[in-house]
Amino acid sequence: MNKELVIVFVKNIKLGKVKTRLAKTIGNQGAFEVYSELVKVTEKATEKLSADIHIYFSNAIVNTKWKDAYKAVQEGKDLGERMHNAFKKGFRDGYERIVLIGSDLPEISSHHINQGLKSLNQHETVFGPAEDGGYYLIGLSKMHPFIFENKPWSQPHLLTETLKQLRENNITFTTLETLNDIDTFEDLIDSKFYQLNLKLQEKIKHLHD
C-alpha cells in the first residue's frame, strides 16, 4: 500500500460562495471565474503525484473533478475540525505521511507538495506558510489533535500560534517556501497567475465593461 496521502480541500464552485472578499471588488461572477481557474491550478499540481489523493468538497461531491481520486464531503463545525477528521481518516486507513492543501493557491505546484511529503521523513509536522499569516499546506506523520483545536482560523497569527504550541510540546516541524493566496483584488493583479492568464483577464474586463 502507498504510505503517502495528499488531501485536497475544495470549495464547491458556486456563485456567491467562493472568494467572497475578492467578490466585493470584482463581483460574484468575477470571483467565481477566478476560483474556477485556481481549482485548475490545484488539479494540475496534483495530477502526477505518486501519493494517493483524497478530495474533500465543502458541500457536495463533484465527479467531474479528480476522476480517480477518493471523494468525500468535509465534516466538522469549523476548519480545524474538518481538517482533523480528514487526517484521522487518512491515518486510520494506514497512511504514514499525510499532507493537506487548499485549492486557492495560484503558485502551488507538485514540487511544494512533494517537498512537504519528503519533509515528513525527518519531521513530525510541516507547514507551508501563507503571506497572510496562515498556512497553505499542513503535513503530519503522526496525529496531534491540538493543532486543530481552539485556533484563530483566518487570523494573521494562526501559524505563529501553532508553531509556538509545537515548540512547547517538543514536536519537530519544518516550513516550506512562503506563498501568497488570492483574497483581494490587489493579490489578484499582483499575481503571475493573473498576469499570464489572458483569458481570465478578458473575462474580468468583460464583466466590468
Side-chain angles (χ1 to χ4, degrees):
M1 172 193 161
N2 197 334
K3 297 295 183 189
E4 296 186 328
L5 173 67
V6 173
I7 297 169
V8 185
F9 268 27
V10 188
K11 277 193 177 172
N12 286 89
I13 309 174
K14 287 187 177 174
L15 204 60
K17 298 288 185 186
V18 293
K19 291 281 145 210
T20 48
R21 274 172 66 194
L22 184 61
K24 287 173 186 167
T25 317
I26 62 172
N28 286 335
Q29 185 64 44
F32 175 91
E33 298 292 353
V34 169
Y35 188 68
S36 300
E37 289 299 310
L38 289 169
V39 170
K40 286 179 195 169
V41 171
T42 313
E43 284 184 281
K44 190 175 177 205
T46 54
E47 69 187 358
K48 290 192 174 127
L49 297 173
S50 56
D52 288 350
I53 298 178
H54 287 184
I55 307 296
Y56 283 84
F57 290 93
S58 57
N59 298 106
I61 289 169
V62 179
N63 284 313
T64 52
K65 303 277 179 196
W66 287 278
K67 287 188 178 162
D68 299 321
Y70 165 89
K71 298 183 186 76
V73 174
Q74 297 166 27
E75 288 178 13
K77 64 181 184 295
D78 63 16
L79 178 59
E81 195 175 311
R82 295 195 293 273
M83 291 198 294
H84 188 192
N85 286 333
F87 270 101
K88 258 198 307 202
K89 176 174 169 41
F91 284 120
R92 209 167 48 229
D93 288 350
Y95 294 101
E96 294 176 0
R97 291 175 296 284
I98 305 175
V99 156
L100 182 149
I101 60 167
S103 52
D104 57 357
L105 279 150
E107 297 167 24
I108 191 85
S109 69
S110 57
H111 168 73
H112 300 106
I113 300 165
N114 283 325
Q115 250 195 325
L117 288 166
K118 195 176 169 189
S119 299
L120 293 173
N121 288 311
Q122 279 88 37
H123 305 273
E124 287 178 73
T125 58
V126 59
F127 293 86
E131 280 185 22
D132 63 7
Y135 50 84
Y136 63 86
L137 176 150
I138 172 174
L140 305 177
S141 60
K142 187 181 170 189
M143 182 59 94
H144 297 292
F146 72 83
I147 290 172
F148 306 105
E149 294 164 358
N150 304 312
K151 290 293 177 296
W153 306 112
S154 303
Q155 298 299 312
H157 53 295
L158 170 62
L159 183 58
T160 307
E161 197 163 303
T162 305
L163 298 184
K164 178 173 171 272
Q165 228 179 340
L166 290 173
R167 285 189 194 98
E168 287 166 356
N169 287 276
N170 295 316
I171 291 163
T172 59
F173 66 85
T174 187
T175 55
L176 306 176
E177 175 190 4
T178 300
L179 297 181
N180 197 14
D181 57 5
I182 289 177
D183 286 322
T184 65
F185 185 62
E186 288 70 31
D187 293 338
L188 179 65
I189 57 175
D190 285 346
S191 68
K192 282 199 175 78
F193 153 80
Y194 183 70
Q195 291 162 8
L196 299 173
N197 192 331
L198 299 179
K199 266 190 187 171
L200 181 60
Q201 287 178 38
E202 275 301 309
K203 281 179 182 174
I204 302 294
K205 185 171 175 291
H206 178 68
L207 288 170
H208 288 265
D209 280 349

